Structure formats: structure tokens, C-alpha cells
mmCIF file of all heavy atoms in Angstrom:
data_model
loop_
_atom_site.group_PDB
_atom_site.id
_atom_site.type_symbol
_atom_site.label_atom_id
_atom_site.label_comp_id
_atom_site.label_asym_id
_atom_site.label_seq_id
_atom_site.Cartn_x
_atom_site.Cartn_y
_atom_site.Cartn_z
ATOM 1 N N GLY T 1008 -36.043 -54.249 13.927
ATOM 2 C CA GLY T 1008 -34.893 -53.472 14.365
ATOM 3 C C GLY T 1008 -33.583 -54.151 14.026
ATOM 4 O O GLY T 1008 -32.614 -53.503 13.597
ATOM 5 N N ASP T 1009 -33.540 -55.472 14.209
ATOM 6 C CA ASP T 1009 -32.330 -56.224 13.871
ATOM 7 C C ASP T 1009 -32.037 -56.120 12.375
ATOM 8 O O ASP T 1009 -30.884 -55.920 11.962
ATOM 9 C CB ASP T 1009 -32.489 -57.691 14.261
ATOM 10 C CG ASP T 1009 -32.584 -57.896 15.765
ATOM 11 O OD1 ASP T 1009 -32.112 -57.018 16.520
ATOM 12 O OD2 ASP T 1009 -33.134 -58.936 16.182
ATOM 13 N N TRP T 1010 -33.079 -56.275 11.550
ATOM 14 C CA TRP T 1010 -32.873 -56.229 10.108
ATOM 15 C C TRP T 1010 -32.385 -54.858 9.638
ATOM 16 O O TRP T 1010 -31.511 -54.767 8.778
ATOM 17 C CB TRP T 1010 -34.178 -56.586 9.392
ATOM 18 C CG TRP T 1010 -34.697 -57.945 9.717
ATOM 19 C CD1 TRP T 1010 -33.984 -59.007 10.211
ATOM 20 C CD2 TRP T 1010 -36.045 -58.401 9.592
ATOM 21 N NE1 TRP T 1010 -34.812 -60.091 10.393
ATOM 22 C CE2 TRP T 1010 -36.079 -59.759 10.027
ATOM 23 C CE3 TRP T 1010 -37.230 -57.814 9.152
ATOM 24 C CZ2 TRP T 1010 -37.256 -60.508 10.024
ATOM 25 C CZ3 TRP T 1010 -38.401 -58.552 9.146
ATOM 26 C CH2 TRP T 1010 -38.415 -59.893 9.578
ATOM 27 N N LEU T 1011 -32.946 -53.806 10.212
ATOM 28 C CA LEU T 1011 -32.545 -52.457 9.803
ATOM 29 C C LEU T 1011 -31.115 -52.150 10.214
ATOM 30 O O LEU T 1011 -30.340 -51.586 9.435
ATOM 31 C CB LEU T 1011 -33.513 -51.424 10.399
ATOM 32 C CG LEU T 1011 -34.949 -51.459 9.873
ATOM 33 C CD1 LEU T 1011 -35.825 -50.487 10.657
ATOM 34 C CD2 LEU T 1011 -34.997 -51.134 8.376
ATOM 35 N N THR T 1012 -30.749 -52.516 11.433
ATOM 36 C CA THR T 1012 -29.390 -52.232 11.889
ATOM 37 C C THR T 1012 -28.370 -53.108 11.159
ATOM 38 O O THR T 1012 -27.258 -52.656 10.858
ATOM 39 C CB THR T 1012 -29.261 -52.417 13.407
ATOM 40 O OG1 THR T 1012 -29.706 -53.729 13.779
ATOM 41 C CG2 THR T 1012 -30.092 -51.389 14.145
ATOM 42 N N GLU T 1013 -28.746 -54.344 10.859
ATOM 43 C CA GLU T 1013 -27.844 -55.213 10.088
ATOM 44 C C GLU T 1013 -27.590 -54.631 8.703
ATOM 45 O O GLU T 1013 -26.524 -54.856 8.112
ATOM 46 C CB GLU T 1013 -28.442 -56.617 9.963
ATOM 47 C CG GLU T 1013 -28.393 -57.426 11.254
ATOM 48 C CD GLU T 1013 -29.243 -58.683 11.187
ATOM 49 O OE1 GLU T 1013 -29.840 -58.936 10.106
ATOM 50 O OE2 GLU T 1013 -29.336 -59.396 12.196
ATOM 51 N N ALA T 1014 -28.560 -53.870 8.186
ATOM 52 C CA ALA T 1014 -28.416 -53.238 6.873
ATOM 53 C C ALA T 1014 -27.686 -51.899 6.956
ATOM 54 O O ALA T 1014 -27.546 -51.211 5.940
ATOM 55 C CB ALA T 1014 -29.789 -53.049 6.230
ATOM 56 N N GLY T 1015 -27.229 -51.521 8.149
ATOM 57 C CA GLY T 1015 -26.411 -50.324 8.297
ATOM 58 C C GLY T 1015 -27.135 -49.081 8.739
ATOM 59 O O GLY T 1015 -26.537 -47.999 8.769
ATOM 60 N N LEU T 1016 -28.411 -49.183 9.112
ATOM 61 C CA LEU T 1016 -29.189 -48.016 9.500
ATOM 62 C C LEU T 1016 -29.190 -47.878 11.022
ATOM 63 O O LEU T 1016 -29.668 -48.757 11.740
ATOM 64 C CB LEU T 1016 -30.630 -48.165 8.987
ATOM 65 C CG LEU T 1016 -31.528 -46.927 9.056
ATOM 66 C CD1 LEU T 1016 -30.941 -45.770 8.271
ATOM 67 C CD2 LEU T 1016 -32.932 -47.270 8.540
ATOM 68 N N GLU T 1017 -28.641 -46.784 11.514
ATOM 69 C CA GLU T 1017 -28.675 -46.489 12.947
ATOM 70 C C GLU T 1017 -30.071 -46.016 13.340
ATOM 71 O O GLU T 1017 -30.741 -45.314 12.578
ATOM 72 C CB GLU T 1017 -27.640 -45.431 13.301
ATOM 73 C CG GLU T 1017 -26.205 -45.825 13.001
ATOM 74 C CD GLU T 1017 -25.704 -46.902 13.939
ATOM 75 O OE1 GLU T 1017 -26.196 -46.967 15.075
ATOM 76 O OE2 GLU T 1017 -24.816 -47.671 13.523
ATOM 77 N N LEU T 1018 -30.516 -46.377 14.548
ATOM 78 C CA LEU T 1018 -31.887 -46.105 14.971
ATOM 79 C C LEU T 1018 -31.925 -45.261 16.245
ATOM 80 O O LEU T 1018 -31.136 -45.488 17.160
ATOM 81 C CB LEU T 1018 -32.637 -47.415 15.222
ATOM 82 C CG LEU T 1018 -32.625 -48.447 14.081
ATOM 83 C CD1 LEU T 1018 -33.306 -49.732 14.529
ATOM 84 C CD2 LEU T 1018 -33.292 -47.881 12.834
ATOM 85 N N THR T 1019 -32.858 -44.328 16.278
ATOM 86 C CA THR T 1019 -33.194 -43.589 17.496
ATOM 87 C C THR T 1019 -34.643 -43.895 17.826
ATOM 88 O O THR T 1019 -35.538 -43.602 17.020
ATOM 89 C CB THR T 1019 -33.021 -42.070 17.303
ATOM 90 O OG1 THR T 1019 -31.644 -41.786 17.062
ATOM 91 C CG2 THR T 1019 -33.476 -41.316 18.545
ATOM 92 N N VAL T 1020 -34.898 -44.511 18.975
ATOM 93 C CA VAL T 1020 -36.252 -44.929 19.348
ATOM 94 C C VAL T 1020 -36.828 -43.948 20.359
ATOM 95 O O VAL T 1020 -36.220 -43.677 21.397
ATOM 96 C CB VAL T 1020 -36.252 -46.354 19.936
ATOM 97 C CG1 VAL T 1020 -37.674 -46.768 20.308
ATOM 98 C CG2 VAL T 1020 -35.642 -47.344 18.941
ATOM 99 N N LEU T 1021 -38.005 -43.408 20.047
ATOM 100 C CA LEU T 1021 -38.751 -42.570 20.982
ATOM 101 C C LEU T 1021 -39.996 -43.319 21.427
ATOM 102 O O LEU T 1021 -40.668 -43.958 20.610
ATOM 103 C CB LEU T 1021 -39.145 -41.243 20.333
ATOM 104 C CG LEU T 1021 -38.009 -40.268 20.001
ATOM 105 C CD1 LEU T 1021 -38.572 -38.977 19.417
ATOM 106 C CD2 LEU T 1021 -37.159 -39.973 21.223
ATOM 107 N N ARG T 1022 -40.302 -43.204 22.723
ATOM 108 C CA ARG T 1022 -41.451 -43.887 23.310
ATOM 109 C C ARG T 1022 -42.390 -42.854 23.923
ATOM 110 O O ARG T 1022 -42.335 -42.605 25.133
ATOM 111 C CB ARG T 1022 -40.973 -44.896 24.357
ATOM 112 C CG ARG T 1022 -40.065 -45.982 23.772
ATOM 113 C CD ARG T 1022 -39.483 -46.899 24.836
ATOM 114 N NE ARG T 1022 -38.726 -47.993 24.232
ATOM 115 C CZ ARG T 1022 -37.449 -47.924 23.876
ATOM 116 N NH1 ARG T 1022 -36.762 -46.780 24.092
ATOM 117 N NH2 ARG T 1022 -36.844 -48.955 23.320
ATOM 118 N N PRO T 1023 -43.249 -42.263 23.116
ATOM 119 C CA PRO T 1023 -44.162 -41.249 23.659
ATOM 120 C C PRO T 1023 -45.106 -41.809 24.717
ATOM 121 O O PRO T 1023 -45.564 -41.074 25.587
ATOM 122 C CB PRO T 1023 -44.926 -40.747 22.424
ATOM 123 C CG PRO T 1023 -44.713 -41.793 21.379
ATOM 124 C CD PRO T 1023 -43.397 -42.403 21.662
ATOM 125 N N HIS T 1024 -45.371 -43.127 24.684
ATOM 126 C CA HIS T 1024 -46.201 -43.734 25.725
ATOM 127 C C HIS T 1024 -45.515 -43.671 27.086
ATOM 128 O O HIS T 1024 -46.176 -43.782 28.125
ATOM 129 C CB HIS T 1024 -46.524 -45.187 25.366
ATOM 130 C CG HIS T 1024 -45.326 -46.081 25.259
ATOM 131 N ND1 HIS T 1024 -44.714 -46.655 26.354
ATOM 132 C CD2 HIS T 1024 -44.620 -46.509 24.180
ATOM 133 C CE1 HIS T 1024 -43.692 -47.394 25.959
ATOM 134 N NE2 HIS T 1024 -43.611 -47.324 24.637
ATOM 135 N N ALA T 1025 -44.181 -43.466 27.083
ATOM 136 C CA ALA T 1025 -43.428 -43.347 28.333
ATOM 137 C C ALA T 1025 -43.004 -41.911 28.611
ATOM 138 O O ALA T 1025 -42.217 -41.670 29.527
ATOM 139 C CB ALA T 1025 -42.195 -44.247 28.284
ATOM 140 N N GLY T 1026 -43.518 -40.964 27.811
ATOM 141 C CA GLY T 1026 -43.236 -39.563 28.061
ATOM 142 C C GLY T 1026 -42.257 -38.901 27.129
ATOM 143 O O GLY T 1026 -41.999 -37.688 27.263
ATOM 144 N N ASP T 1027 -41.676 -39.628 26.163
ATOM 145 C CA ASP T 1027 -40.753 -39.002 25.213
ATOM 146 C C ASP T 1027 -41.494 -37.992 24.339
ATOM 147 O O ASP T 1027 -42.614 -38.259 23.870
ATOM 148 C CB ASP T 1027 -40.109 -40.063 24.320
ATOM 149 C CG ASP T 1027 -39.112 -40.934 25.066
ATOM 150 O OD1 ASP T 1027 -38.709 -40.549 26.190
ATOM 151 O OD2 ASP T 1027 -38.747 -41.996 24.535
ATOM 152 N N GLU T 1028 -40.872 -36.861 24.105
ATOM 153 C CA GLU T 1028 -41.451 -35.821 23.251
ATOM 154 C C GLU T 1028 -41.087 -36.082 21.788
ATOM 155 O O GLU T 1028 -39.953 -36.461 21.474
ATOM 156 C CB GLU T 1028 -40.939 -34.442 23.673
ATOM 157 C CG GLU T 1028 -41.393 -34.002 25.053
ATOM 158 C CD GLU T 1028 -42.872 -33.646 25.105
ATOM 159 O OE1 GLU T 1028 -43.418 -33.267 24.030
ATOM 160 O OE2 GLU T 1028 -43.478 -33.749 26.179
ATOM 161 N N LEU T 1029 -42.050 -35.850 20.899
ATOM 162 C CA LEU T 1029 -41.764 -35.977 19.477
ATOM 163 C C LEU T 1029 -41.067 -34.716 18.978
ATOM 164 O O LEU T 1029 -41.352 -33.617 19.448
ATOM 165 C CB LEU T 1029 -43.069 -36.189 18.693
ATOM 166 C CG LEU T 1029 -43.876 -37.441 19.012
ATOM 167 C CD1 LEU T 1029 -45.090 -37.517 18.100
ATOM 168 C CD2 LEU T 1029 -43.028 -38.690 18.862
ATOM 169 N N PRO T 1030 -40.175 -34.851 18.013
ATOM 170 C CA PRO T 1030 -39.507 -33.675 17.468
ATOM 171 C C PRO T 1030 -40.462 -32.867 16.584
ATOM 172 O O PRO T 1030 -41.472 -33.384 16.103
ATOM 173 C CB PRO T 1030 -38.365 -34.267 16.649
ATOM 174 C CG PRO T 1030 -38.876 -35.606 16.233
ATOM 175 C CD PRO T 1030 -39.705 -36.101 17.392
ATOM 176 N N GLU T 1031 -40.120 -31.623 16.368
ATOM 177 C CA GLU T 1031 -40.924 -30.768 15.491
ATOM 178 C C GLU T 1031 -40.707 -31.112 14.026
ATOM 179 O O GLU T 1031 -41.617 -31.003 13.206
ATOM 180 C CB GLU T 1031 -40.572 -29.292 15.727
ATOM 181 C CG GLU T 1031 -41.024 -28.752 17.071
ATOM 182 C CD GLU T 1031 -42.534 -28.616 17.151
ATOM 183 O OE1 GLU T 1031 -43.166 -28.366 16.103
ATOM 184 O OE2 GLU T 1031 -43.077 -28.779 18.250
ATOM 185 N N THR T 1032 -39.480 -31.526 13.679
ATOM 186 C CA THR T 1032 -39.139 -31.840 12.298
ATOM 187 C C THR T 1032 -38.341 -33.130 12.251
ATOM 188 O O THR T 1032 -37.964 -33.700 13.283
ATOM 189 C CB THR T 1032 -38.302 -30.717 11.656
ATOM 190 O OG1 THR T 1032 -36.976 -30.745 12.216
ATOM 191 C CG2 THR T 1032 -38.933 -29.344 11.907
ATOM 192 N N LEU T 1033 -38.057 -33.562 11.027
ATOM 193 C CA LEU T 1033 -37.231 -34.747 10.801
ATOM 194 C C LEU T 1033 -35.882 -34.365 10.215
ATOM 195 O O LEU T 1033 -35.207 -35.201 9.598
ATOM 196 C CB LEU T 1033 -37.966 -35.712 9.859
ATOM 197 C CG LEU T 1033 -39.243 -36.333 10.437
ATOM 198 C CD1 LEU T 1033 -40.086 -36.961 9.330
ATOM 199 C CD2 LEU T 1033 -38.905 -37.371 11.499
ATOM 200 N N ASP T 1034 -35.471 -33.128 10.430
ATOM 201 C CA ASP T 1034 -34.235 -32.625 9.827
ATOM 202 C C ASP T 1034 -33.014 -33.445 10.215
ATOM 203 O O ASP T 1034 -32.055 -33.536 9.449
ATOM 204 C CB ASP T 1034 -34.009 -31.163 10.210
ATOM 205 C CG ASP T 1034 -35.053 -30.238 9.610
ATOM 206 O OD1 ASP T 1034 -35.775 -30.686 8.695
ATOM 207 O OD2 ASP T 1034 -35.153 -29.081 10.056
ATOM 208 N N ASP T 1035 -33.020 -34.024 11.393
ATOM 209 C CA ASP T 1035 -31.853 -34.765 11.886
ATOM 210 C C ASP T 1035 -31.956 -36.267 11.650
ATOM 211 O O ASP T 1035 -31.172 -37.032 12.222
ATOM 212 C CB ASP T 1035 -31.664 -34.507 13.386
ATOM 213 C CG ASP T 1035 -31.367 -33.051 13.686
ATOM 214 O OD1 ASP T 1035 -30.728 -32.391 12.843
ATOM 215 O OD2 ASP T 1035 -31.789 -32.572 14.756
ATOM 216 N N HIS T 1036 -32.909 -36.686 10.817
ATOM 217 C CA HIS T 1036 -33.140 -38.118 10.652
ATOM 218 C C HIS T 1036 -33.200 -38.509 9.178
ATOM 219 O O HIS T 1036 -33.685 -37.755 8.338
ATOM 220 C CB HIS T 1036 -34.440 -38.521 11.352
ATOM 221 C CG HIS T 1036 -34.414 -38.247 12.827
ATOM 222 N ND1 HIS T 1036 -33.692 -39.020 13.705
ATOM 223 C CD2 HIS T 1036 -35.008 -37.283 13.569
ATOM 224 C CE1 HIS T 1036 -33.846 -38.542 14.935
ATOM 225 N NE2 HIS T 1036 -34.632 -37.491 14.869
ATOM 226 N N LEU T 1037 -32.723 -39.712 8.908
ATOM 227 C CA LEU T 1037 -32.707 -40.245 7.554
ATOM 228 C C LEU T 1037 -34.030 -40.893 7.168
ATOM 229 O O LEU T 1037 -34.319 -41.042 5.975
ATOM 230 C CB LEU T 1037 -31.593 -41.293 7.418
ATOM 231 C CG LEU T 1037 -30.154 -40.811 7.584
ATOM 232 C CD1 LEU T 1037 -29.211 -42.005 7.575
ATOM 233 C CD2 LEU T 1037 -29.798 -39.833 6.479
ATOM 234 N N ALA T 1038 -34.799 -41.327 8.150
ATOM 235 C CA ALA T 1038 -36.035 -42.059 7.869
ATOM 236 C C ALA T 1038 -36.932 -41.995 9.096
ATOM 237 O O ALA T 1038 -36.504 -41.583 10.188
ATOM 238 C CB ALA T 1038 -35.734 -43.510 7.510
ATOM 239 N N LEU T 1039 -38.182 -42.416 8.907
ATOM 240 C CA LEU T 1039 -39.169 -42.473 9.982
ATOM 241 C C LEU T 1039 -39.854 -43.829 9.949
ATOM 242 O O LEU T 1039 -40.328 -44.268 8.892
ATOM 243 C CB LEU T 1039 -40.211 -41.362 9.813
ATOM 244 C CG LEU T 1039 -41.383 -41.350 10.795
ATOM 245 C CD1 LEU T 1039 -40.905 -41.097 12.215
ATOM 246 C CD2 LEU T 1039 -42.422 -40.300 10.385
ATOM 247 N N VAL T 1040 -39.903 -44.504 11.091
ATOM 248 C CA VAL T 1040 -40.615 -45.772 11.237
ATOM 249 C C VAL T 1040 -41.614 -45.608 12.377
ATOM 250 O O VAL T 1040 -41.237 -45.224 13.487
ATOM 251 C CB VAL T 1040 -39.650 -46.933 11.549
ATOM 252 C CG1 VAL T 1040 -40.429 -48.238 11.740
ATOM 253 C CG2 VAL T 1040 -38.619 -47.086 10.432
ATOM 254 N N VAL T 1041 -42.884 -45.896 12.114
ATOM 255 C CA VAL T 1041 -43.939 -45.774 13.121
ATOM 256 C C VAL T 1041 -44.531 -47.160 13.356
ATOM 257 O O VAL T 1041 -45.047 -47.791 12.426
ATOM 258 C CB VAL T 1041 -45.032 -44.783 12.692
ATOM 259 C CG1 VAL T 1041 -46.090 -44.652 13.788
ATOM 260 C CG2 VAL T 1041 -44.418 -43.416 12.379
ATOM 261 N N LEU T 1042 -44.445 -47.623 14.596
ATOM 262 C CA LEU T 1042 -44.862 -48.980 14.936
ATOM 263 C C LEU T 1042 -46.336 -49.057 15.324
ATOM 264 O O LEU T 1042 -47.044 -48.051 15.347
ATOM 265 C CB LEU T 1042 -43.973 -49.505 16.065
ATOM 266 C CG LEU T 1042 -42.487 -49.620 15.722
ATOM 267 C CD1 LEU T 1042 -41.677 -50.003 16.954
ATOM 268 C CD2 LEU T 1042 -42.259 -50.622 14.593
ATOM 269 N N GLY T 1043 -46.778 -50.263 15.648
ATOM 270 C CA GLY T 1043 -48.174 -50.511 15.966
ATOM 271 C C GLY T 1043 -48.503 -50.259 17.426
ATOM 272 O O GLY T 1043 -47.706 -49.709 18.188
ATOM 273 N N GLY T 1044 -49.692 -50.682 17.810
ATOM 274 C CA GLY T 1044 -50.148 -50.499 19.180
ATOM 275 C C GLY T 1044 -51.612 -50.840 19.314
ATOM 276 O O GLY T 1044 -52.311 -51.077 18.322
#
């Protein structure tokens, strides 16, 4: 996260494990990052 933001990319973090809903599309986003678990 630090490296991406230092490179100028703003981030929106969703936590579906905590109840956040996933969007239907990626129309409002420049990129997608999916982490581990």
C-alpha cells in the first residue's frame, strides 16, 4: 500500500470479511488489487 500510494495511486480498500459489499463493476476504478488470506 505504501509503495502504490508513493507512486501516486489512490486506494479504496474494501473488506468483505467485515461486511463490505463488492461493486458490480470496476467503472469507477483505475485498477484492482486482490490480497491473500
Side-chain angles (χ1 to χ4, degrees):
D1009 294 337
W1010 300 338
L1011 293 174
T1012 54
E1013 287 168 2
L1016 192 59
E1017 299 290 332
L1018 307 175
T1019 296
V1020 180
L1021 292 182
R1022 299 174 175 86
H1024 62 82
D1027 289 345
E1028 294 288 334
L1029 298 183
E1031 290 290 329
T1032 72
L1033 294 165
D1034 293 346
D1035 297 328
H1036 299 286
L1037 296 174
L1039 175 64
V1040 178
V1041 182
L1042 298 174

